[in-house]
Amino acid sequence: GQQLNQSPQSMFIQEGEDVSMNCTSSSIFNTWLWYKQDPGEGPVLLIALYKAGELTSNGRLTAQFGTTRKDSFLNISASIPSDVGIYFCAGQLRMDSNYQLIWGAGTKLIIKP
Amino acid sequence: DTEVTQTPKHLVMGMTNKKSLKCEQHMGHRAMYWYKQKAKKPPELMFVYSYEKLSINESVPSRFSPECPNSSLLNLHLHALQPEDSALYLCASSQSGGPVDEQFFGPGTRLTVL
C-alpha cells in the first residue's frame, strides 16, 4: 500500500529550540496536511498545503509542500512545553474514484526537563 | 462552528454487547469518516460517507456497521466485538471528499472490549 516516510520518529529537545520534521513519498500528492495529536485526543489540523512549492505559516509553525509534490516539511520555532505531542503528516491522493489520506507514522516531540 | 463532536468519550463493552458511537458536525460538510487508531500509530481509515452514501469500506469486519442518518450525523454500530477491537475511534468530516479537502477530527471515543 501507499506509505509516507516520516522522520524523525521522535525528538528530544530543549525548550526554546527550533524543530524540524519531514515526510517523503514515492507518490505525488494533491494536498499535504500536518496534524498534532495530544494523548487521548483527536488530531488537530495545523497547516494545509495545496500547491507545489507552497510555504505556509501558522504562528511559530511553518510548512512547505515540496516542488516535486512528493515531500513536505514542518518547522516549529522556539519550542514551548505545549508543543509536546505527536505530529502526523498526511498526503491526499486519488485512489479509484475517491480521495484518501495517507499518513506518516508520526513524530513524537518530547521536551527535556 | 468548526467542531466535530463524538459521544461517548469512553466506552467499555463485553463481547456480546451491542453499542453505538455517535458523531456530529455542523460545518455543512458532506463527507464524514470513521477511523480506528491504535496506540502510537496513525489513524486507519474504516469508512467514508460522501453525500450520505457509503463510498469507502476498507474491508472492515461486519461487526462494525456504519450509518449516516443525515448530513450532520454519523453513527458506528458495534456488535460482537473482539478484545483486539479496543482502540480510539475517530470521526472526521470534510467539505466534500474532494481533492483539496481538509479533514477535521473529533476528540474520539476510547473503546475497551473485555
Side-chain angles (χ1 to χ4, degrees), chain A residues 30-31 33 35 37 40-43 45 48 50 86 88 92 98-101 103-105, chain B residues 9 35 37 41-43 45 55-56 58 88 90 97-103 105-107:
Chain A
N30 298 307
T31 304
L33 305 173
Y35 289 90
Q37 188 173 25
E41 300 293 330
L45 182 63
Y50 304 107
I86 301 180
F88 289 103
Q92 186 178 60
N98 296 290
Y99 291 91
Q100 292 189 35
L101 289 183
W103 294 78
Chain B
K9 180 78 170 168
Y35 286 86
Q37 187 179 29
K41 298 289 187 184
L45 185 64
S55 59
I56 296 177
E58 289 286 346
L88 182 68
L90 295 164
V100 290
D101 263 12
E102 300 169 7
Q103 289 187 28
F105 284 81

Side-chain angles (χ1 to χ4, degrees), chain B residues 44-81:
Chain B
E44 296 175 44
L45 185 64
M46 300 175 71
F47 302 105
V48 181
Y49 274 84
S50 180
Y51 292 85
E52 297 154 55
K53 287 188 168 51
L54 184 64
S55 59
I56 296 177
N57 176 343
E58 289 286 346
S59 303
V60 180
S62 60
R63 56 186 185 268
F64 295 91
S65 175
E67 179 197 16
C68 189
N70 61 56
S71 59
S72 300
L73 293 173
L74 187 65
N75 298 322
L76 186 63
H77 303 297
L78 314 172
H79 173 56
L81 294 193

Side-chain angles (χ1 to χ4, degrees), chain A residues 13-28:
Chain A
I13 58 167
Q14 298 277 9
E15 184 176 347
E17 284 184 353
D18 295 344
V19 171
S20 184
M21 60 192 80
N22 69 83
C23 281
T24 61
S25 174
S26 57
S27 299
I28 293 174

Side-chain angles (χ1 to χ4, degrees), chain A residues 78-91:
Chain A
S79 56
I80 60 177
S82 61
D83 290 335
V84 164
I86 301 180
Y87 292 79
F88 289 103
C89 63

